[in-house]
Every structure is written in C-alpha cells, then in structure tokens.
Amino acid sequence: MPAFDPNGRGVVVTGAGNGIGAALARELGARGTRVVVSDLDADGAARVAAEITAAGGTAVAAPGDAASEEGVTALVEVARRELGTIDAWYANAGVDRGRGLEAPESDWDISLQVNVMAHVRAARLLVPEWAANGGGRFVVTASAAGLLTMIGAPAYSVTKHAAVAFAEWLSVTYRHRGVVVQAICPQGVQTRMLEQSGDLEELLSRDTALTPEQVATQAVDALAGDEFLILPHPEVAGYYATRAGATDKWLHGMNKLQQRLEEKEGTR
C-alpha cells in the first residue's frame, strides 16, 4: 500500500478535546492536515482547534457524540462540508467505566457504544465509499488492553478487544480495495484515564507511561506504512506473543499482578 501523506488531507479525530485525541489532532495539524476536532466536550474541541489554527494549521471544532448513530452521521456530514473529502478517520474516543463483576449494565452499555459501535457506525458511512474510490485510512485507538487485558476493568477489556477484532475484520475485508486499517495499542499513557485508575496506575505504568504527544507522533509516523498494529510501547508485542503462544503462563503472570493489587488494597 502507498504511504499516506497527511499534508493537505482531510482527517477527523474523535475524542480530540484532550489526551491522546488532542495530541493526534495537534500532530496532524502540524503536518499540514486539515483536521476536524470532535469531542463531547465542546470547550475542549474548540480549544484544540484554536491551538492548531494559531500554530498555522487548519482545524475546525465539531462538538458532539461520536458514538450514537445520529452523532456519527452528523459528524460525517459536518466533516464532508468542511473538508470536502474525508481521507482518514481517527476513531479515538473511548471510555473506561465499571470495575469488577459489580459494574452495572449502564457501564457495559456505554463502553460498548463508545469503544465499539462508534467504530462500526463510522465505518458504515466511510469505508464503502473509500473502497469504491481508491482508499482511505481508518485508525482505531484500541489500547494494549485490546491485545492483553486490563486488571479490574472487564467492560474496558472486553470492548477494547472487540475494537481490535472489528478493525481486524475491516482490514481483512477491505485491504485489497485500498482501505488501510490500523490499531493504536499503547499501554500506560499520561492522561486523565491513567490518573483516575487508582492503584492500577502503578501496574499500567510498569514499562513507562508515555505522554500523549509521544503516542501521537508514533501514530502519525505510522501513516508512512500500512502495518496494522501501532505499538508505542514495543514491549507489548512480547506480551502479546506470550499470551498467544503460552497462554497459561501469561494468565498465571496476570493473576500474580491481580494478587499484588489486592494485597496493596488490603494494606490501606
């Protein structure tokens, strides 16, 4: 597949009012991309778009729900009006809700809507047109939890696995028609989600918590190729290989981390 030069392209980034999404939007803007900055947080989206514009880039804020069918449809319409053509879609918006088996149905539902169905709804509107017209890029922020798991967070783990699985299916189905699908799978990243993870923060940061800017730089650099997995933490590849090739060993190791977490919580 040919490299994707972001200069002059029209790109949408969801969940771009803060964290990795904001860093992605800024990095793309700095490389000459025309960016639609989308977020439920209207103030956050407007702030990031203004920062990109002030730095000499081209960006427009599009506040709204990138997960609901109505919200995705409206966002695509706005983006097409502002950009003319949507060349790439960064499905970055995500939530981490619910802990343990006690997580309520509402946490599972919003996790499914934001972490999975948002991607499905966007792809329905974009991918057939890309396939007919020579290609496009669909990039999912999936997390290392989508390849491994996340202790204590069943809804996040399950839906991020589903996000990776859907991205894989898109790649298998449309790769030969010019549609490149990529999945960003970082481990610990210095965002509000990590800060709010409590005792899990130490475990998630065991290999070094990267800044959102570091993740964004690697993710945008990856547009030069068509590799499916984008791994800002390269050690995740080893964990992923162990999970696949020595599953019981990997599960035993993860259970030991679970026990460490319980011991830490018990010493309070």
Side-chain angles (χ1 to χ4, degrees):
M1 295 287 181
F4 183 97
D5 183 357
N7 186 38
R9 299 295 190 100
V11 177
V12 176
V13 184
T14 68
N18 60 77
I20 294 174
L24 283 168
R26 294 189 192 101
E27 182 68 24
L28 287 163
R31 301 196 194 194
T33 308
R34 296 175 297 117
V35 186
V36 169
V37 181
S38 175
D39 203 287
L40 268 175
D41 177 3
D43 291 338
R47 182 185 65 255
V48 173
E51 290 170 358
I52 294 170
T53 302
T58 302
V60 60
D65 184 2
S68 71
E69 187 172 4
E70 297 80 7
V72 173
T73 299
L75 176 55
V76 169
E77 291 175 352
V78 168
R80 284 177 171 155
R81 183 171 67 246
E82 295 290 338
L83 303 174
T85 301
I86 301 172
D87 298 305
W89 185 279
Y90 277 78
N92 172 79
V95 296
D96 174 17
R97 300 288 178 85
R99 289 291 179 267
L101 287 177
E102 298 78 19
E105 293 283 325
S106 58
D107 285 341
W108 279 93
D109 182 60
I110 192 171
S111 297
L112 178 63
Q113 297 303 318
V114 178
N115 296 346
V116 183
M117 291 308 299
H119 309 333
V120 176
R121 289 162 180 150
R124 283 176 183 156
L125 298 176
L126 299 169
V127 171
E129 182 176 313
W130 286 342
N133 296 331
R137 290 261 171 163
F138 196 90
V139 186
V140 173
T141 302
S143 165
L147 303 177
L148 307 171
T149 194
M150 183 166 156
I151 289 174
Y156 186 78
S157 297
V158 169
T159 55
K160 287 299 185 178
H161 272 276
V164 172
F166 179 65
E168 288 174 337
W169 181 88
L170 280 179
S171 183
V172 166
T173 307
Y174 292 98
R175 189 180 186 91
H176 66 293
R177 298 174 68 180
V179 179
V180 176
V181 183
Q182 296 176 296
I184 309 169
C185 297
Q187 199 164 227
V189 182
Q190 296 169 23
T191 64
R192 288 186 300 189
M193 188 178 292
L194 182 65
E195 293 169 357
Q196 295 168 0
S197 62
D199 290 330
L200 279 172
E201 182 175 352
E202 180 182 345
L203 295 178
L204 294 172
S205 306
R206 59 179 297 182
D207 291 310
T208 300
L210 300 178
T211 66
E213 290 73 25
Q214 288 173 307
V215 173
T217 297
Q218 292 191 48
V220 178
D221 283 347
L223 293 174
D226 63 355
E227 296 82 3
F228 178 75
L229 287 179
I230 301 172
L231 302 178
H233 295 81
E235 52 273 11
V236 168
Y239 303 151
Y240 189 38
T242 300
R243 175 181 175 269
T247 304
D248 288 314
K249 176 182 177 181
W250 178 80
L251 288 170
H252 177 71
M254 291 298 290
N255 180 250
K256 287 178 68 176
L257 291 178
Q258 171 69 31
Q259 293 178 60
R260 281 175 49 197
L261 180 64
E262 291 177 6
E263 289 169 2
K264 186 173 182 179
E265 291 174 341
T267 59
R268 290 177 180 172

